[in-house]
């Protein structure tokens, strides 16, 4: 099974930075992971896409995070990262890692809380 494990959430002041990590067991071939990405869900709101990256490095971002967030991927470590800069209170949410396997479909992590508050 492909069970992503997230880390790196926490409490940060507005304007601050955090880096989230999403790790997939290295026993899973990186060539079989079509894409990795991050979604978030704030209280009372629907889950929304934050950023995705495919195996070749093509990235996609929500308009609300463009220029502030950067997604990257280490295919050796089977890990994706989300560098979040210039954080705003509206970025507060539970962030979920999503992994798309070529044969087995989508897998989601348990989520990590990000809180932006002074």
């Amino acid at each position: 099974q492909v069970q992503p494990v997230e880390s790196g959430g926490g409490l940060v002041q507005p304007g601050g930075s955090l880096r989230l990590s999403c790790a997939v067991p290295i026993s899973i071939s990186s060539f079989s992971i079509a894409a990795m990405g991050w979604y978030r869900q704030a209280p009372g709101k629907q889950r929304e896409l934050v950023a995705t990256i495919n195996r070749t490095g093509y990235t996609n971002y929500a308009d609300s995070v463009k220029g502030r967030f950067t997604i990257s991927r280490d295919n050796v470590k089977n890990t994706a990262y989300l560098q979040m800069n210039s954080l705003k209170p509206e970025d507060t949410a539970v962030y979920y890692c999503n992994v798309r396997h070529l044969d087995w479909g989508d897998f989601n992590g348990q989520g990590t809380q990000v809180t932006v508050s002074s």
Side-chain angles (χ1 to χ4, degrees):
Q1 288 292 310
V2 182
Q3 183 56 51
V5 177
E6 302 115 331
S7 61
L11 172 65
V12 64
Q13 292 186 342
S17 298
L18 282 175
R19 189 175 82 154
L20 305 183
S21 298
C22 172
V24 171
I26 59 173
S27 57
I28 304 296
S29 168
S30 64
F31 292 101
S32 65
I33 299 174
M36 301 178 76
W38 293 90
Y39 292 74
R40 67 186 181 186
Q41 188 165 18
K45 295 187 177 181
Q46 290 188 332
R47 189 173 296 193
E48 63 175 356
L49 168 73
V50 177
T52 60
I53 184 168
N54 71 7
R55 188 164 56 84
T56 62
Y58 178 82
T59 58
N60 182 46
Y61 295 93
D63 288 342
S64 58
V65 306
K66 284 180 180 177
R68 300 188 298 122
F69 291 11
T70 302
I71 189 170
S72 60
R73 176 174 169 175
D74 185 330
N75 289 329
V76 174
K77 296 181 178 180
N78 270 2
T79 300
Y81 303 96
L82 185 68
Q83 178 66 43
M84 305 185 293
N85 298 328
S86 301
L87 282 161
K88 304 174 181 180
E90 50 263 44
D91 294 317
T92 296
V94 178
Y95 284 70
Y96 297 91
C97 177
N98 172 268
V99 174
R100 176 158 294 175
H101 191 277
L102 286 174
D103 299 318
W104 302 334
D106 287 352
F107 296 84
N108 294 306
Q110 296 293 320
T112 184
Q113 176 70 46
V114 172
T115 302
V116 185
S117 175
S118 54

